[in-house]
Each structure stands twice: as structure tokens, then as C-alpha cells.
Amino acid sequence: MIYRDFKGLKLSALGLGAMRLPVIDGDDAQIDETATQQMVDYAMEQGINYYDTAWGYHNGNSELALGRALAKHPRESFYLATKFPGYDLANMDKAEEIFEHQLEKTGVDYFDFYLIHNVCEMNIDEYLNPAHGIMDYLLAQKEAGRIRHLGFSAHGAIPVMERFLEAYGEHMEFCQIQLNWLDWEFQDAKGKVELLKKWNLPVWVMEPVRGGKLANLSDEAVAKLTAARPDETPVAWSFRFIQGIPEVVMTLSGMSNFEQLKENIATFAEDKPLSEAELATLKEVADAMAAEGTVPCTACHYCTSHCPMGLDIPQLLAMYNQYKLTGKGDFISSMMISTLPDDKKPSACIGCGSCAAVCPQQIDIPGTLAEFAEALGL
């Protein structure tokens, strides 16, 4: 197992994420605790020492199951991370109540790592509202030793991350972002890494295989990767890409079964970052995937000056592309659209066609926005 240094700690470069634990009969709320115990025991044997859970994973049962699985191991042998669930605005005034319950659920006296969860467009205003007392409470817990290291995770765009960092950056020690070879450009993960580098914050990676999407590539894409690295699977390529980013300390993988765990541990037995030629091959595959089913908007903004409704069409098309690429399970685009006023959502388009008439890419903008609005049920 490869290890990375974080403030004098030796963290396994691969962490076990507990958002996709094995379940019974396909029911996300019913965790298979026998299989989970087997996976945690093997992970510990093979040198994984970082375990990540959260309040809402598996309908609230992830913290319970992971806590029970780790209980048989000495407390000093692992690092446990969980998060404050501000993705649900109803929780904003419950920092103490939730934190105390999380300690009970996991069966520990302290958390090695604690994150402010999913900073995004939907919740940034409330996260920055001092009336909730969230940051004051968490800093008090850190002072008391019940939180050893404090950070945040973010699905929001760079401007949202900037607002959060300007308010609380001095208290943050790390940041967890969605990072993989597809989102390096598609969601500007590269820009997010650069932002965190300016703040001297190490990067924790979530969704390195994009929820399994990057493990199930087209035959053409697999053939390209296999020709370049015959002994590496598409999953291994995803991890090798991340190994080449020096700012990354922790890579979390939500492994759902024992075979995935074994395969990923084998990959993290050594550092084998991609060469420049291999990165170019991966970019070809990423570009082809991003183009499939999406629209070629370049954000030139010609359309916006001709829209009588004042819609931010490039932003809406970017969210449309995110939705098309991720599929019906996508939550980022629907989350971001939900934060817009009704007169700025895709459904506000009146179909006049003025935007399409000046679009250099000849995109059917009214048709695309109508499709998007229908898909989101707006």
C-alpha cells in the first residue's frame, strides 16, 4: 500500500468510502454487514487505514455499519471521517445534535477527520450564515480534541468554493472534490485543484471512477487504453491518472464488493502515474465521451444578448451536458437548476429562436432547453 503524508500522519493513498457498501436484495438501506465486515477486515490487513462515511449514506445506516465493522480493530489503527449534512437545509441549526449522534452511531470518542458536507450553490448562503453557529461549534469540538482535522467537501462550482474559502479557509485543512479524468475538464476539476493549491489545501478525491461510469467504457475506448497499457484495467487507469496529480493525498473509492476491493488494493501497491502520451490517449477518450449526446456550446455568449428572457444560456447548456453525460441519476445539474429563480430556469424559454439564429455552433437552443425542462420535470 502506498502512503501519503498529511501533517505527520501516514494515510493510505486509497481510502474506503462507505457510500456504496454491499447491500441486501438491492435495498440501499439494508447494508450486508457480514460482507462489509469481511471487506473492512481485509482492507485493514492490506494497509488501508482511512474510512469515510456520512450522515446520509445508505439512508443513515452507513455510520452504524462502518462503526460496527471497525469496532473489532484498535482505535489507533484507523482514521475515521464523517460529515456535517448541510446538504439538507433543515439540519443547519442541528450541528451539536447531529455531531453527538454521529459519535454514538460510530461508537467512537472522536473523529480523525470531519467535513462540512457538499458545499454547493444550494446551501452556500446558509453555510455562510453565522446565525447557525456551525463553524463555531465545530471549532469548539476541534479544540476539545473530538475533531482532529477539519475540512470540507464540495460539488459546487469554483465561485462557490471561493466564497466558502474566503469565509472559512483559515480553518480548513483539506478539501474533498469530485476528480477523475473525465471531469478534469468537463467539471473543471483542474481549476478546483488550482484553487485549493492557492490555499495550500491538500486534495481528497471522491468519485475517481465516476460512480462506476469509467469502469464501463465502450469497446473502442477500452481498446485504446489496452493498447497503451495492456496490463491495466479501465479502473486502474482512473487511479493512475489521479496518482499523477501531486496535490492529491487521499483517493476514496466506494467499493461495493470484495473483488473491487482486492483489485483496487492491488492497483495501489505502487505508484504508476500516466505518461504524457498516455494522458493524451485518455484525453481523446474523455473528449469523445463528453461529445456523445451533448451540445457543443463554447460559452461565447452571443445567445445571451439576444435572449428576451435574460437567460444564462451557456450555464443552462453546461448543466444540460452534465445531465446527458451522467444520466438520470445525476443530481448536480438538478441541484443547481433548483437554485435558480423560476424565470431563469430552462422552462422560462419562450422558444422565440433568437438565440439559435446567432449561435456559431448552430445549436437548437430552444429545443435543447425544452428537452431539459421536461427531463427535470420543470
Side-chain angles (χ1 to χ4, degrees):
M1 177 57 61
I2 304 163
Y3 291 89
R4 308 292 190 209
D5 178 74
F6 174 77
K7 299 192 172 185
L9 303 179
K10 279 183 60 179
L11 303 182
S12 55
L14 174 65
L16 194 154
M19 187 174 74
R20 298 185 178 95
L21 295 173
V23 299
I24 299 171
D25 296 331
D27 184 351
D28 190 61
Q30 292 192 56
I31 297 170
D32 185 335
E33 295 206 26
T34 300
T36 297
Q37 184 72 68
Q38 181 189 27
M39 289 175 63
V40 168
D41 289 348
Y42 184 78
M44 292 290 291
E45 290 171 9
Q46 298 299 313
I48 291 180
N49 61 14
Y50 191 98
Y51 297 84
D52 172 271
T53 183
W55 178 259
Y57 293 172
H58 288 284
N59 284 28
N61 293 321
S62 175
E63 290 173 326
L64 290 165
L66 187 61
R68 285 193 281 262
L70 289 169
K72 65 183 291 186
H73 299 279
R75 181 64 184 91
E76 66 276 8
S77 66
F78 61 85
Y79 301 105
L80 178 61
T82 193
K83 311 172 184 76
F84 172 73
Y87 54 83
D88 182 347
L89 299 183
N91 293 329
M92 288 296 180
D93 293 318
K94 301 177 182 177
E96 180 175 2
E97 174 187 339
I98 289 172
F99 184 82
E100 296 294 342
H101 196 191
Q102 287 176 309
L103 289 174
E104 293 175 11
K105 288 173 70 178
T106 53
V108 297
D109 297 323
Y110 64 92
F111 294 116
D112 302 279
F113 294 83
Y114 197 83
L115 295 85
I116 294 173
H117 199 174
N118 187 16
V119 174
C120 64
E121 287 76 3
M122 183 177 65
N123 57 32
I124 182 64
D125 289 338
E126 295 309 309
Y127 266 143
L128 298 186
N129 184 350
H132 297 304
I134 297 169
M135 188 58 64
D136 289 341
Y137 178 78
L138 296 181
L139 290 174
Q141 301 317 302
K142 186 178 178 185
E143 181 68 23
R146 302 170 88 202
I147 293 173
R148 301 295 168 84
H149 301 284
L150 185 62
F152 72 108
S153 69
H155 278 291
I158 288 176
V160 169
M161 293 176 63
E162 288 175 329
R163 286 183 63 195
F164 186 85
L165 287 166
E166 286 164 7
Y168 300 132
E170 63 181 305
H171 303 303
M172 296 295 105
E173 299 177 75
F174 63 102
C175 177
Q176 190 164 302
I177 60 172
Q178 180 167 318
L179 195 164
N180 52 66
W181 54 264
L182 182 59
D183 288 319
W184 187 243
E185 293 186 359
F186 189 73
Q187 286 194 16
D188 199 13
K190 180 180 180 181
K192 294 177 182 180
V193 170
E194 289 300 316
L195 171 65
L196 295 172
K197 186 176 180 180
K198 291 177 183 177
W199 284 84
N200 296 313
L201 292 177
V203 175
W204 264 230
V205 172
M206 56 181 161
E207 302 291 357
V209 195
R210 220 176 196 266
K213 186 176 183 68
L214 304 186
N216 298 288
L217 304 177
S218 68
D219 291 343
E220 181 182 358
V222 171
K224 283 186 177 181
L225 300 187
T226 301
R229 283 200 180 195
D231 298 328
E232 299 264 50
T233 66
V235 172
W237 271 79
S238 293
F239 292 129
R240 300 303 184 204
F241 172 79
I242 291 168
Q243 286 179 351
I245 303 171
E247 292 79 14
V248 171
V249 169
M250 173 59 54
T251 301
L252 295 166
S253 179
M255 296 165 276
S256 301
N257 58 58
F258 196 74
E259 290 307 311
Q260 290 176 359
L261 176 66
K262 288 176 63 178
E263 180 182 341
N264 292 351
I265 287 174
T267 299
F268 275 85
E270 58 182 330
D271 262 323
K272 291 174 63 177
L274 303 178
S275 67
E276 290 299 320
E278 289 165 340
L279 287 170
T281 298
L282 203 55
K283 188 177 187 307
E284 288 180 15
V285 175
D287 289 346
M289 287 180 67
E292 186 176 345
T294 61
V295 294
C297 175
T298 62
C300 67
H301 285 85
Y302 291 167
C303 54
T304 56
S305 61
H306 288 74
C307 177
M309 303 304 292
L311 301 181
D312 187 344
I313 295 171
Q315 180 195 41
L316 295 177
L317 293 182
M319 290 301 97
Y320 171 84
N321 284 344
Q322 162 70 23
Y323 179 85
K324 294 292 286 187
L325 188 60
T326 302
K328 292 184 179 180
D330 172 59
F331 76 93
I332 294 177
S333 57
S334 57
M335 174 189 72
M336 293 186 69
I337 295 298
S338 71
T339 66
L340 299 176
D342 289 343
D343 63 351
K344 300 302 178 187
K345 292 178 179 177
S347 54
C349 173
I350 60 175
C352 68
S354 297
C355 53
V358 297
C359 177
Q361 307 302 319
Q362 299 183 324
I363 300 169
D364 176 13
I365 297 171
T368 301
L369 294 183
E371 177 193 340
F372 195 23
E374 183 178 358
L376 295 177
L378 299 174

